[in-house]
Amino acid sequence: MQHRKRAWWVAMATATAAMSAATLVAGCGSDSKGDNEVHNIIYLLGDGMGRTHVTAARQRFEGAGGQLQLEKLPYVGAVATYAVEPNSAKPSLVTDSASAATAWSSGVKTYNAAIGVDAFGKSVPTLMEQAKAAGFATGNVSTAEITDATPAGMFSHALLRGCQGPTFSDSTCLPKKADGSYEAQPADKTLVTPIAEQIARNNTADVIFGGGLARFEPDDQKALLDNGYQVLGSMGDPALKAQTAESQKVATAADLKSVTAQKVIGLFNRGNLTVTNARNALPDSAPQKQEPTLKDMTTKAIDLLSARKGKGFLLQIEGALIDKRSHANDAAQTLDEVKAFDDAVAAAMDFAKKDGHTMVIVTADHECAGFNIIEKNTFTNAEAVAPPTNVDATNPANNSKPGRDGKDNVKDPVRSPGLVNGAGQQDPRNFAPATFRTPDDPAEVKDGTPEASLWLTYLSGNHTGADVQIYAYGPGAQVFATSQDNTSLYTKMHKALLP
């Protein structure tokens, strides 16, 4: 592993600004449309949040006849999510978060794992870069590491999403050739610069909240301070060559509450933030109890951005842990993360309704894990041999067993009354559907019992190629009430904000 702290940042920043400005002139929003009603865009992304995630969360928390906050937005459509193969226009039917983020951030199809580059590895400008160049305030919020694919897609460029930092390596930053060797270093060195370094130096987002402190180093903090940011917490001791949990200080909810700076970065965990379900179960003394919620970060970001004098703002907000806990096939954690995301939507809508010039967009990058609502007292064997490992490498507080019987995922015959399907039916690691009470159930019904009315299971431990829903509110938001490709989200947002 080697560090890549380069002296060409000034030249890169100049080139990026020129590219962004050129696209403003030649891009899709270059034609004047008169009085522009949209001053602000709040783009909320539930990572991995398929249609069933929304339905199951509604039934769990609001009852069959209720609505989540996001479902109250007046315009509803669908989004196709496929990616393409590298160096090709051939469709790759199941996207990852990186190629999906590039689609709505830059309007191009690209290969899975690519951020801010097209399918041929050429850098493309992002909507956030263009908004910043045009004089808008900008913000990026996530419950994942802020260097992760979805937030990274708005303010960085990388051949591989794993090139997050703090160090560079061929395995994380360079694609492989067909023979297994690594591609040569590209002429554009930004594309192999760790994403944390890019974030700390490119000034693309004014307000940055999320996780991922371990991706940053003291010289990143110096660069941020030199660029006028307030840094909540600390990115480490400049005397140390490698940062540790002891040398860095995560930001806290109290830090978030008190900040008033117009440019600020707050990283509240060294890895991903802690899932709601796990955080609530921790003792008050646990450091994760000091993390803000997604709603907290959303509210503060809106407050800071809307207080700035200027044209308006562009804010991206990601509920990342919906996806990460769907990968783990943990229905309890997944549902709580959809609810936490919906609370952030409510905060955005509170502002938008008062403001009158804010477009709110709520969607997902892809569906994750084939989440299904199944008939009560039936069983489908989602993972015939073994369930997905339920761990989070960046934040062990999120690790848990799926909410079944607490005995190493052994199948509970009470919870799985039907026949087991699949070749692995004798494997004791098979697990039954997760069952949850809803507001429509009698008061005595408990989660995890056959009497609970909401029965959930998963098809896999990975993404699927299903279309996702999109919900929109505000001036001009009716353009999203249709079936569309994910690249058209960029086109529509660009036209609304940057005519």
Side-chain angles (χ1 to χ4, degrees):
M1 303 285 277
Q2 56 181 315
H3 284 73
R4 293 291 178 94
K5 307 293 183 184
R6 300 182 175 88
W8 39 262
W9 268 106
V10 173
M12 185 281 296
T14 302
T16 299
M19 177 174 60
S20 298
T23 307
L24 279 172
V25 174
C28 62
S30 60
D31 293 333
S32 174
K33 65 169 191 171
D35 182 28
N36 179 21
E37 291 186 275
V38 179
H39 299 171
N40 316 303
I41 291 180
I42 304 176
Y43 180 83
L44 297 111
L45 189 286
D47 199 306
M49 187 181 71
R51 188 70 187 93
T52 300
H53 290 75
V54 175
T55 305
R58 177 213 310 145
Q59 293 172 344
R60 163 67 163 166
F61 298 109
E62 306 296 337
Q67 282 186 307
L68 296 177
Q69 293 299 313
L70 63 88
E71 293 180 295
K72 297 177 182 179
L73 275 64
Y75 302 109
V76 181
V79 181
T81 63
Y82 71 93
V84 294
E85 299 291 343
N87 301 305
S88 168
K90 180 182 178 182
S92 177
L93 297 182
V94 180
T95 190
D96 79 337
S97 295
S99 55
T102 302
W104 75 70
S105 296
S106 296
V108 299
K109 291 288 186 182
T110 193
Y111 57 91
N112 285 337
I115 292 175
V117 298
D118 64 18
F120 299 90
K122 181 181 178 181
S123 184
V124 288
T126 75
L127 182 65
M128 191 167 287
E129 291 169 343
Q130 294 168 329
K132 187 65 180 293
F136 287 83
T138 50
N140 208 336
V141 174
S142 178
T143 51
E145 296 176 280
I146 203 65
T147 54
D148 204 2
T150 298
M154 271 293 190
F155 58 2
S156 64
H157 306 269
L159 296 176
L160 291 180
R161 61 181 289 179
C163 193
Q164 297 183 50
T167 53
F168 171 93
S169 72
D170 288 349
S171 62
T172 57
C173 298
L174 285 173
K176 285 187 175 181
K177 301 177 184 177
D179 63 5
S181 64
Y182 292 106
E183 296 279 359
Q185 291 270 346
D188 182 354
K189 299 305 181 184
T190 305
L191 305 183
V192 287
T193 298
I195 291 166
E197 284 190 43
Q198 297 185 47
I199 293 168
R201 292 160 177 80
N202 63 21
N203 280 301
T204 300
D206 299 307
V207 174
I208 304 168
F209 295 142
L213 180 61
R215 301 292 185 179
F216 292 81
E217 295 185 308
D219 60 343
D220 296 321
Q221 177 164 317
K222 182 180 184 303
L224 286 158
L225 293 171
D226 289 345
N227 285 326
Y229 286 85
Q230 180 176 347
V231 178
L232 307 183
S234 172
M235 294 180 179
D237 182 351
L240 296 178
K241 292 183 178 179
Q243 296 311 308
T244 65
E246 291 74 27
S247 65
Q248 293 186 318
K249 180 183 178 182
V250 297
T252 67
D255 294 331
L256 179 74
K257 185 176 181 180
S258 64
V259 70
T260 59
Q262 292 191 342
K263 292 183 71 173
V264 59
I265 180 169
L267 304 177
F268 303 95
N269 194 293
R270 282 174 53 78
N272 300 319
L273 297 192
T274 307
V275 295
T276 303
N277 183 287
R279 188 176 65 243
N280 289 345
L282 292 171
D284 290 341
S285 58
Q288 292 88 351
K289 284 286 192 178
Q290 306 306 311
E291 294 176 13
T293 66
L294 183 59
K295 181 179 180 179
D296 294 336
M297 294 190 291
T298 297
T299 300
K300 177 59 75 168
I302 292 171
D303 288 347
L304 296 175
L305 294 171
S306 61
R308 293 179 60 135
K309 303 298 183 183
K311 293 184 176 180
F313 66 82
L314 170 66
L315 172 61
Q316 177 174 287
I317 298 161
E318 181 197 22
L321 302 178
I322 300 167
D323 177 71
K324 297 186 185 303
R325 308 325 294 159
S326 293
H327 279 295
N329 282 191
D330 192 321
Q333 291 184 336
T334 299
L335 291 174
D336 285 346
E337 289 311 305
V338 177
K339 180 63 169 64
F341 175 73
D342 196 52
D343 291 342
V345 173
M349 286 299 298
D350 284 346
F351 171 80
K353 288 176 180 178
K354 295 173 184 176
D355 177 69
H357 294 283
T358 297
M359 177 182 284
V360 177
I361 303 159
V362 182
T363 188
D365 47 357
H366 52 71
E367 196 277 343
C368 187
F371 203 30
N372 286 290
I373 301 168
I374 64 172
E375 187 177 358
K376 186 176 178 180
N377 294 319
T378 62
F379 176 73
T380 183
N381 187 21
E383 292 289 328
V385 178
T389 304
N390 197 358
V391 299
D392 181 340
T394 74
N395 185 354
N398 292 339
N399 300 349
S400 70
K401 294 174 172 42
R404 295 168 176 90
D405 69 353
K407 298 178 181 178
D408 198 28
N409 284 351
V410 175
K411 184 172 74 69
D412 184 344
V414 175
R415 304 265 313 284
S416 176
L419 295 175
V420 179
N421 303 315
Q425 60 184 320
Q426 301 305 317
D427 193 312
R429 292 173 295 178
N430 285 324
F431 55 88
T435 66
F436 298 91
R437 74 173 314 279
T438 74
D440 301 317
D441 289 332
E444 65 272 13
V445 171
K446 305 297 182 184
D447 291 348
T449 64
E451 292 76 27
S453 60
L454 180 59
W455 283 50
L456 299 170
T457 189
Y458 294 88
L459 176 66
S460 76
N462 216 326
H463 301 166
T464 71
D467 287 1
V468 294
Q469 295 286 101
I470 186 168
Y471 309 84
Y473 169 90
Q478 66 272 12
V479 298
F480 295 100
T482 186
S483 294
Q484 59 222 295
D485 188 76
N486 55 6
T487 55
S488 71
L489 304 185
Y490 165 83
T491 305
K492 293 173 182 180
M493 287 191 289
H494 190 292
K495 187 172 183 179
L497 197 66
L498 305 170

